[in-house]
Amino acid sequence: MQRLADAVAEAERTAIRSALAVSGGRKVDAAKLLGISRATLYEKLALLGLQGTG
């Protein structure tokens, strides 16, 4: 069984990748789509190992 923290991290990765795809890689627009600040998006990108995404 998957740990809750792992499931949440995977859901966040999926949502961030989706938002970046829809926004054409523009992080400001992706953050707006996700309802988070640009700073929070950058923190999550680093935390989730997605720094090179977008």
Side-chain angles (χ1 to χ4, degrees):
M1 180 175 213
Q2 189 177 29
R3 290 183 38 224
L4 178 60
D6 295 334
V8 169
E10 188 55 39
E12 287 185 336
R13 277 187 203 94
T14 300
I16 289 170
R17 284 185 187 122
S18 246
L20 286 167
V22 168
S23 69
R26 288 186 42 87
K27 291 181 178 77
V28 171
D29 294 338
K32 286 179 185 175
L33 286 170
L34 294 165
I36 60 177
S37 71
R38 185 178 51 113
T40 298
L41 177 59
Y42 277 95
E43 289 171 10
K44 289 188 178 292
L45 289 169
L47 179 70
L48 299 169
L50 299 172
Q51 298 94 331
T53 305

